Amino acid sequence: MPPDEPGRPRPGTPDRSDVTRRRLLTAAGLLATAGAGDVVWKALNGPSGGTQRLIAASDPGTTGHLPTVLSPSPSPSPRLSSLATPGSTPTPTPHVTASHASHATSGDGPGHRHGKGPARRRKKVENVTLPPARVPVHSQPAYYVHDLLPDAPKRAIALTIDDGPDPDWTPKVLRLLDKYDVQATFCMVGVHVTAYPSLVRDVHRAGHAIVNHSWSHPLPFVSLTEKQIVAQILRNQRAIERAAGVTPELFRAPGGEWSPFIYRALAAYGLRPLDWDVDPADWSEPGTRKITRRMLRARPNDIVLCHDGGGDRHETVQALRTVLPAYKRRKLDLVTLSLPSSDAPKPVTSPTPSSSPTSSPKLTPPSPSATP
């Protein structure tokens, strides 16, 4: 039986009913972070030990994205991604994928004191008055192709490529996509967009979609102030518009981290939240064979994650040499992720909040956490 035949789960991967459970956990987590829903939280998640990070058991690298819901004291991230500004020495910054949150340590990370439980830290409040919503406010991101494109082909999947553009890896990925006549969706980081605008134009001219993936990829993204979150969204939106003359319609949060304010801010600026459900963990450089095997588990309707930036991506490029022709042989329709014209937001003149997030020329994200 082919691996994507309906009615039979793939070996070693969570059943699709797990997505429903994760969405329930997300809702419970949002209630808990709002100061309510403790009973629901405990009933769904059980005892959490020294950390209140909401996770579900999952084999690292398999399909099934676990939406990240963080408490005021999140545990440290296992992922490092070098997203440095041009001309500077790349500095590792933590980059969480929710499907690997189970690797995070508990009890010894920031906000924890030995034998004394979590330390309380006051979060600086910088409230922003958002303009009226230009698109509906969503309560969760799109995990599947048909969440965004209900009229897409039945066997459609989407390949999304994050953290670029990168002068070494993006051209190699573009050549492979052209060789196999495949369209993809590039989720770009603003500091790299500004550094390499010609690569952004190359991606756009080749017919691929471009998604806003924040200005500098700070983590934990949900711990930023409202002002900083809006700045991360708008600065990259403007950078992509300047580089390629295209306005992104989707936003992918760094690390797949979401909150009610992020959803409201995206709606205010005409963006929809985008996630994924197949993560090959290529950012961790597990080897070409593992990346290939995990990406080949994709079935119709899946959104597949991989990277062309944030580090050495030669393993990802090598995996794509096998994965792309395999997708074609399986008659999967690779589609780009962009909103149907009927759902696209109407242009507005100057959607700026009452408290301007870009009044300060320097954005200061939270300090990177120490990682194991």
Side-chain angles (χ1 to χ4, degrees):
M1 182 179 294
D4 55 329
E5 183 169 335
R8 182 174 180 178
R10 290 162 288 181
T13 62
D15 188 85
R16 292 211 173 216
S17 62
D18 184 53
V19 173
T20 302
R21 177 178 179 274
R22 295 198 306 272
R23 289 173 177 171
L24 289 173
L25 289 171
T26 301
L30 293 176
L31 287 172
T33 56
D38 290 342
V39 175
V40 179
W41 175 282
K42 292 176 182 178
L44 287 172
N45 199 44
S48 57
T51 178
Q52 287 295 314
R53 177 182 288 271
L54 179 61
I55 58 174
S58 176
D59 176 33
T62 62
T63 62
H65 169 58
L66 308 183
T68 303
V69 180
L70 297 176
S71 73
S73 300
S75 49
S77 160
R79 181 177 180 184
L80 296 179
S81 176
S82 299
L83 298 178
T85 53
S88 64
T89 303
T91 303
T93 56
H95 184 168
V96 174
T97 56
S99 57
H100 295 83
S102 57
H103 285 189
T105 60
S106 61
D108 296 330
H112 293 275
R113 295 170 294 176
H114 291 284
K116 296 184 180 180
R120 294 187 178 183
R121 287 187 285 178
R122 291 186 179 181
K123 180 179 177 180
K124 185 179 179 182
V125 177
E126 292 180 282
N127 292 328
V128 171
T129 302
L130 296 169
R134 298 170 57 197
V135 295
V137 179
H138 292 267
S139 59
Q140 64 182 20
Y143 294 104
Y144 299 107
V145 171
H146 291 101
D147 291 346
L148 283 173
L149 306 173
D151 296 327
K154 185 177 180 180
R155 295 184 61 79
I157 67 169
L159 177 65
T160 61
I161 306 169
D162 283 21
D163 293 358
D166 180 275
D168 293 324
W169 307 113
T170 302
K172 292 180 174 65
V173 171
L174 285 174
R175 284 194 290 271
L176 282 174
L177 295 173
D178 180 67
K179 177 179 179 179
Y180 294 106
D181 191 25
V182 168
Q183 299 295 294
T185 301
F186 286 77
C187 303
M188 297 187 175
V189 175
V191 291
H192 299 318
V193 168
T194 302
Y196 310 110
S198 62
L199 287 178
V200 184
R201 290 190 288 272
D202 290 344
V203 169
H204 177 58
R205 281 195 293 261
H208 307 293
I210 297 177
V211 169
N212 185 334
H213 194 30
S214 81
W215 170 254
S216 62
H217 207 291
L219 285 167
F221 191 62
V222 293
S223 72
L224 299 184
T225 66
E226 292 182 358
K227 185 176 179 179
Q228 289 174 323
I229 288 171
V230 172
Q232 287 284 327
I233 295 170
L234 291 185
R235 288 185 71 181
N236 193 20
Q237 197 79 345
R238 292 164 184 160
I240 293 171
E241 289 172 347
R242 286 193 300 268
V246 59
T247 300
E249 301 167 337
L250 304 173
F251 178 85
R252 173 169 280 173
E257 297 181 357
W258 305 99
S259 73
F261 176 78
I262 295 171
Y263 294 132
R264 293 197 304 273
L266 294 180
Y269 300 109
L271 291 157
R272 281 195 60 177
L274 172 67
D275 218 285
W276 64 86
D277 73 311
V278 176
D279 181 4
D282 60 323
W283 53 267
S284 64
E285 300 180 37
T288 300
R289 291 179 63 185
K290 286 187 177 180
I291 296 170
T292 302
R293 183 172 67 250
R294 293 164 180 172
M295 293 184 75
L296 288 177
R297 289 171 178 161
R299 297 185 293 188
N301 202 28
D302 282 339
I303 297 176
V304 183
L305 172 70
C306 66
H307 297 78
D308 66 337
D312 185 341
R313 299 293 168 241
H314 78 276
E315 292 178 357
T316 302
V317 171
Q318 285 297 109
L320 288 173
R321 298 183 192 279
T322 300
V323 169
L324 294 180
Y327 284 167
K328 303 286 280 190
R329 287 194 299 272
R330 289 169 55 190
K331 308 297 183 184
L332 294 172
D333 295 306
L334 283 101
V335 299
T336 57
L337 296 177
S338 58
L339 296 178
S341 57
S342 59
D343 294 337
K346 301 295 186 295
V348 295
T349 51
S350 56
T352 54
S354 61
S355 174
S356 173
T358 55
S359 56
S360 172
K362 185 176 181 180
L363 181 69
T364 308
S367 299
S369 303
T371 57

